[in-house]
Amino acid sequence: MKNYLLALLGLVLSFTSFSQDGDILNPACREKCSMASLSARAQQALYYQYPSMDKYDMKYLKLDIHAEAGSLFMTGIATSKILAVQPLDSFITELKQNMVVDSVFINGTKLNFVHNSDFIQVKIPSVIPAGTLVTVKIYYYGTMGSGGVFTGTTSNGLTYTATLSESYQAREWFPAKQILKDKIDSLDVWVTTTAPNLVGSNGILVAIVDSFNNKKQYQWKSRHPINYYLPSIAVGNYMEYKNYAKPAALAPDSILILNYLTDNETYFASVKTNIDKTPSFIEKFSELYGLYPFADEKYGHCQANIGGGMEHQTMTTLSSFGSTLVAHELGHQWWGDNVTCATWNHIWLNEGFASYSEYLAVEKLPALFGGTTPAAYMQSVHNSVMSSPTGSVYVPLASTYDENRIFSSRLSYNKGSAIIHNLRFEMQDDNVFFQTLKNFQQQFKDSVATADDFKQVAETTSGKNFTDFFNQWYYGEGYPTFNITYLKQQSDSVTLIINETTSAPSVTPFFKGLYEFKITWVGGDTTVKAYITSNNQQFKFHFTAIPNAVVVDPNNWVLNAVGTITNGGVVPAKLLSFDVMAGATCNAVLKWKASNEQDTKIYEIEYSTDAVNFYKTGSLNSHGNIGESVYQYDQSLSNESDQDFRLKIIDRDGSYVYSTVISLNRKCSYAFSVSINPNPASEKLNLQVTQPVPGNVTIRIFDAKGSQVYYSTAYMNVGESRLPITAVQNFNPGTYMIKIDAPGGSTSRKFIKL
Ligand SMILES: [Zn+2]
């Protein structure tokens, strides 16, 4: 796996080497930069970014815009303050070609510029030394691109124009340095529009200033670092609705939640319940992740049909107000906005974490989610991921211009969410898990991070190593399918033999990790955990009952499918063999071999005629040997049914296990049986013997001291015989034992002589 990572790093380096540094626009580069391995869509979206943009650092941006609801036309003045981190002989930024650039000023001087192939490039006559703060002012206008700017009228009466710049569409409406790692340190967005329409944007609404022709200028100010794709405007015939969140950490202060939505009472009534959940979400996430990062500004929603939601910093734009969508976009304020993925490869840090925020909202605020249980939510996430066998959460380099891949709901969102849940399970301590999130946010707030940065925080916080975890679940592909055999080898334990196959074995041949198994028995269950590192591992768990089923991952902690679950039965380790054979007469001969009997007290023989109800029919004491002992037990058969036999092996401590059940299909037309009467006897004893096979019957009588006092034999055919014993009249009064041995069986009876 490490080599795999190094290979990727090599790709990054070779990719950057395609770029040509610091030169004026070179449209031919687009062909030069195209890579055969990119998908058709990716190639279409691929565009060149000049490394010379890295010569400056975006410190401040002010957008002063005129825009109207329902129109894509705008005029704008973009003022940037940039810090030269290298000597600047040119300035380059991106703006789509369809926009018209009127003029460019650098430090107040109007300079010539080239606007070509979606870039504005300005040669700076005298090189500006590193460390200098430079002001760049660009006057522009035109019809904004429909890829990143949405306009229209909704069925509930909202006419809007709203932006959505992720991932490469900021340049459709303002000059942008579309490089994730350079956040704009602070932002002002001023929008002039026709009253009474409202304009939502980032940060705080500082002022609404009257302008010409019934227009008003909305002046928004944001003083938190913001990524290039997060400035936004939403212009519409909005009404305003406010909530306030009161996170405990901010008490007694509160956070304003500003909602701009269509001025339609029916619509408002239909979404108010969900909008009103936002304060609870902010309060809960502030508990789990650390205080809402923009508490000194606000949070808010602007309604607009942008085909879902977009987590604009402090002012989400969304088309509808589903509870999980509201939670998702809010979660982004921590994950995506305050901490942003450093490259699109690591979109997991935005979308996986925002998707897991949905899960946490469902888990922690169940009252707000009606019938949705956390388990059901995670099950549907798992189902989505496993609808296809391959694909990594990590976005491969070749796909970083492919928005379908970056925003794959199966991989970036659902698998991204599932593996965070899995990591939480691996930590086995929610305090550590949520402390990891808090530490990550504190270390990378107002900045960017990679998955490896998060991994390091997780490892430092938990003291655990997650290299295998990330190689399998983040960079790797697929999921495991489990095949489990469970069996009982000892009275006080159950053994699981665990095997897995994987859905993308050429990439990820095995998923090590912690997994849960629920072992059930008649009347109960218990859940156990196993850390699996290789196939065919055996795990022994304390368990006295006879297991009848195993459920893999009953609480949906880990992505997995289940293959076969096999009941290996009861196979006591000490019982080396156990056989039941038909005897020479109408009897069953049970033979078994055992060893390590130090703790074995007794073997009870149980039989059943219906394979359900077993009855004890005899027992043999254990020899208690360490080495092998051989046992034999003869059981006469008394009816015509099939008989099932098993041993109950009882330890000295009273615990026991059963052997496997062995059936004997042996039918007897007569069974050996003996009856004596009368008992007590005074003059004679009448013996009635039923004999299934012909042969000699031997009769012995012993007194209470065990001395033989009577002996006789008689030949008997099949059937019943009466054998009177008159000798008893001469016996002393007392208790006697009569023992009858015959080919069909043997038996002993006690009787009393009066
Ligand atoms: Zn999202």
Side-chain angles (χ1 to χ4, degrees), residues 493-562:
S493 69
V494 64
T495 301
L496 302 190
I497 304 170
I498 299 173
N499 266 277
E500 61 172 69
T501 57
T502 65
S503 64
S506 63
V507 183
T508 308
F510 195 83
F511 287 88
K512 292 182 188 175
L514 188 66
Y515 299 87
E516 262 185 353
F517 302 91
K518 184 165 82 176
I519 306 171
T520 67
W521 68 92
V522 175
D525 61 66
T526 187
T527 298
V528 297
K529 296 184 183 81
Y531 195 92
I532 299 169
T533 55
S534 62
N535 259 333
N536 290 315
Q537 264 181 298
Q538 294 193 14
F539 295 88
K540 205 169 264 190
F541 302 101
H542 180 76
F543 194 90
T544 52
I546 304 294
N548 58 18
V550 168
V551 179
V552 179
D553 189 36
N555 299 307
N556 289 333
W557 281 110
V558 187
L559 278 167
N560 74 88
V562 178

Side-chain angles (χ1 to χ4, degrees), residues 311 328-329 332 351 354 413:
E311 64 272 21
H328 178 106
E329 303 306 338
H332 269 307
E351 297 306 344
Y413 290 68

Side-chain angles (χ1 to χ4, degrees), residues 324 358 361-363 365-378 380:
T324 50
E358 296 175 38
V362 171
E363 178 191 313
L365 299 167
L368 301 186
F369 288 89
T372 308
T373 64
Y377 176 95
M378 195 48 76
S380 68

Side-chain angles (χ1 to χ4, degrees), residues 724-746:
I725 301 170
T726 54
V728 296
Q729 63 186 303
N730 303 319
F731 292 2
N732 293 326
T735 302
Y736 292 82
M737 175 75 79
I738 180 165
K739 188 167 192 301
I740 301 100
D741 290 300
S746 58

Side-chain angles (χ1 to χ4, degrees), residues 304-326:
N305 269 8
I306 58 165
M310 180 61 211
E311 64 272 21
H312 296 123
Q313 193 159 301
T314 72
M315 193 64 145
T316 281
T317 309
L318 35 58
S319 358
S320 58
F321 289 87
S323 301
T324 50
L325 181 63
V326 170

